[in-house]
Amino acid sequence: MYCINCGADNLETAKFCRKCGASFSAEEQETRVAVRGAAAMAEIGGDADSDTKEAEIFAISPTLMFVKVGYALAALGALFLAAVTSVFLSSFISVWLSVFIGLLLFIIPAYYHLKHKMVSYTLTESKLEIDKGLVSRTTKSVPIRRIQDVTVSASVFQRMLGFGDLTIDNASDDIEKVVLKNINNPKFYADILLRQMRRLDQ
């Protein structure tokens, strides 16, 4: 049983989430059963209540590690530029101009931060959704029942930093392999996806 609040896996008999401590009330259990029933009806062509929303198991995005490093380097570059200007080039360039130029260095990590916000991966009880875009978003849905294989891959550099890629092979002819790129702790999320696949096969 997954916690609606944090997505942690718990025993079916648990009354509280082992990770965040959220309470599993009887009403929540009934909601979970109703959601699973609605998802099953949708897969066989039945009508489900349009107000029914599947529980979200996890929602992740590519790692922010490189963005944070970029901001740190931009800050160091701005400080270095301001120091060099004030010591050696103060007669040619004003301190405020050097500060402004230093601030322009933050444009590069800000650009990659924005690209990061454009991609998100969400696993619900019956499908995996890949959302891309900032203002206009595109969502690709992969039904869990059609997933055939889940592969975790990481280069030596990626393993050292604790992130990698999650490749999902599905049975749909019109959808190529889905790759969740540069996510933190990919094996953890692969295990969650595999558990959900086994749960639906029961």
Side-chain angles (χ1 to χ4, degrees), residues 1 12 14 24-34 36:
M1 175 172 60
E12 293 292 340
F24 298 144
S25 63
E27 181 179 351
E28 288 177 342
Q29 300 300 331
E30 292 174 1
T31 301
R32 291 173 186 271
V33 173
R36 290 196 181 97

Side-chain angles (χ1 to χ4, degrees), residues 1-2 9-15 24 29 36 199:
M1 175 172 60
Y2 292 97
D9 191 12
N10 296 271
L11 296 175
E12 293 292 340
T13 57
K15 294 183 178 180
F24 298 144
Q29 300 300 331
R36 290 196 181 97
R199 184 185 295 269

Side-chain angles (χ1 to χ4, degrees), residues 122-201:
T122 304
L123 178 67
T124 67
E125 293 190 329
S126 68
K127 63 184 180 294
L128 176 69
E129 296 180 342
I130 300 93
D131 293 316
K132 295 183 179 181
L134 187 61
V135 179
S136 176
R137 294 184 70 83
T138 301
T139 301
K140 179 187 293 185
S141 296
V142 180
I144 293 179
R145 291 188 183 276
R146 289 185 172 271
I147 295 178
Q148 295 178 321
D149 188 34
V150 179
T151 305
V152 175
S153 59
S155 64
V156 175
F157 177 72
Q158 287 176 319
R159 288 201 305 271
M160 290 174 59
L161 297 178
F163 67 94
D165 300 336
L166 192 61
T167 303
I168 297 170
D169 193 5
N170 61 85
S172 301
D173 295 333
D174 57 336
I175 303 179
E176 58 185 7
K177 288 185 178 181
V178 176
V179 182
L180 280 57
K181 296 182 179 180
N182 295 328
I183 60 173
N184 291 318
N185 200 359
K187 190 176 185 305
F188 171 75
Y189 293 105
D191 290 340
I192 293 178
L193 178 55
L194 290 171
R195 283 200 298 269
Q196 186 63 18
M197 290 168 61
R198 290 193 294 269
R199 184 185 295 269
L200 292 181
D201 287 338

